[in-house]
Amino acid sequence: MRVRLLRWLLGAPPAIVGGGWHGDAICLVRIDRNTEGRSQVDCAYEVLPAEWSSGVDSQGHVRANTLKSLLERWGNSPKRLALGIPAGDVFIKTIDVPLGLEERDLMQLAVVEAVANLPVPPEEVCADYLRMGSPVRSGQQQIKIAFCRREIIDDLALMAEDAGAQLAMIDRDIQAIHDAALWLIARHAPEVQVEYPLLLLLITDSPTLIVARDELDLVQYSLQITDLVEQIHASCRRAGLSDDAGLRDLWVFQTPGVDDNLVSLLAMRQGPVHWLVPEEILGVSTMPPLTLLVTALGMALRETA
């Protein structure tokens, strides 16, 4: 109670709500932590009504109304949205820069790289950067640049505003899935120390393999159920992993009800296979598509935004 009172007196920022959507469906996740540090995860999910398919203007209106309806399930208090968007909409590049550059110089470099790669005028891009730790060599440092078309951000910000919320941040859905996977693994097997490269397999109608070479260097591959093990090995080779990738732990995320045929297929793999059911770990009552759920969860973890 004292913590809540202090937050109220000090004017704590509105809560972060993580979101993701795919096709005609939207999923939101909110994480509440009590004074004992325990997390309560709430999930809201809705399929867009039939009007979604008619016209661009109508689509924006329907999507905003659906988002507003979902947010209102958690009351009318102000909320900030952290949205996961398709990885293909955000471009990532790593470059070497001289040590000692100021923030303004790095941001200018990020914009220059964005314009060179899209290409569009500078005023039509959104860009950001991240310093990559220790110098790669004398006098040089690596930075990772992310950029996308400004119209993507503008459309999302307008949708959030129409829904009565504030757009706090966006990120690639693949990054959100990675972050959610680490969080779920920590809850499911707290004794496990995750190491990179990391292999994450989402079992959906079209299984998705995410190969994480590190916490930011992520690639994904769409697979088929048939010859699944060989496809996983081939994808690891395409991602540049060594031949011993088949011995690494594979973390499999699925909806309730393990398919015996799938278990048999993955049992042929040399390395360990770990099965996780996010809905059971989270204790949520709704059943959104798996990819949407973990994307929204990963974005909801951005509480410091």
Side-chain angles (χ1 to χ4, degrees):
M1 179 65 189
R2 179 174 178 273
V3 173
R4 292 185 180 180
L5 179 61
L6 283 175
R7 287 179 178 174
W8 177 71
L9 290 173
L10 296 175
I16 280 285
V17 174
W21 73 81
H22 180 72
D24 62 351
I26 296 179
C27 180
L28 300 180
V29 167
R30 181 183 66 172
I31 302 176
D32 287 331
R33 287 188 170 85
N34 59 27
T35 53
E36 289 78 32
R38 297 177 182 175
S39 299
Q40 172 66 43
V41 177
D42 293 321
C43 176
Y45 163 68
E46 193 165 322
V47 176
L48 298 173
E51 305 94 278
W52 165 253
S53 59
S54 59
V56 175
D57 293 338
S58 175
Q59 288 179 5
H61 179 71
V62 170
R63 191 167 63 176
N65 282 346
T66 303
L67 179 60
K68 182 178 181 180
S69 174
L70 288 173
L71 290 169
E72 287 176 347
R73 297 183 188 181
W74 293 322
N76 296 318
S77 60
K79 298 177 181 69
R80 295 177 299 158
L81 284 175
L83 296 177
I85 66 174
D89 288 343
V90 181
F91 299 87
I92 304 292
K93 187 173 183 180
T94 302
I95 64 173
D96 293 350
V97 300
L99 279 173
L101 289 184
E102 296 182 355
E103 306 297 314
R104 180 184 59 186
D105 298 326
L106 292 175
M107 183 55 70
Q108 288 177 347
L109 276 175
V111 172
V112 168
E113 286 291 334
V115 171
N117 284 273
L118 284 177
V120 294
E123 63 272 14
E124 294 183 19
V125 301
C126 285
D128 203 353
Y129 68 90
L130 180 68
R131 297 179 189 268
M132 299 300 292
S134 55
V136 291
R137 58 180 179 271
S138 178
Q140 294 287 311
Q141 180 185 33
Q142 283 190 338
I143 64 169
K144 192 175 289 288
I145 295 171
F147 51 92
C148 69
R149 294 179 181 271
R150 178 171 293 278
E151 63 183 356
I152 295 175
I153 309 297
D154 290 343
D155 289 346
L156 293 174
L158 180 60
M159 178 191 69
E161 182 180 348
D162 288 345
Q166 172 196 355
L167 180 64
M169 67 165 55
I170 66 162
D171 205 342
R172 300 173 297 162
D173 54 3
I174 186 176
Q175 185 70 57
I177 292 170
H178 164 273
D179 298 348
L182 293 186
W183 193 82
L184 290 166
I185 291 171
R187 288 172 69 96
H188 175 73
E191 74 284 356
V192 172
Q193 184 70 36
V194 172
E195 296 181 352
Y196 292 96
L198 179 65
L199 306 181
L200 309 171
L201 181 64
L202 276 66
I203 301 300
T204 61
D205 292 338
S206 178
T208 298
L209 176 70
I210 295 177
V211 179
R213 290 177 285 232
D214 61 39
E215 61 184 4
L216 295 175
D217 189 359
L218 314 170
V219 288
Q220 63 182 352
Y221 303 96
S222 294
L223 310 180
Q224 301 295 324
I225 292 295
T226 54
D227 299 323
L228 186 58
V229 172
E230 178 52 39
Q231 289 182 73
I232 292 173
H233 291 167
S235 298
C236 289
R237 290 192 293 269
R238 288 174 59 191
L241 302 191
S242 59
D243 291 337
D244 65 354
L247 301 176
R248 301 198 67 84
D249 291 43
L250 176 67
W251 297 89
V252 183
F253 299 82
Q254 65 160 54
T255 53
V258 179
D259 185 328
D260 291 339
N261 292 330
L262 186 60
V263 173
S264 300
L265 279 173
L266 291 178
M268 300 168 57
R269 189 175 179 272
Q270 288 182 291
V273 178
H274 309 276
W275 298 85
L276 292 85
V277 180
E279 288 92 340
E280 294 179 355
I281 297 172
L282 299 175
V284 296
S285 57
T286 54
M287 294 291 289
L290 179 61
T291 302
L292 270 183
L293 174 62
V294 291
T295 297
L297 173 62
M299 296 309 298
L301 294 169
R302 315 298 173 88
E303 293 186 47
T304 57

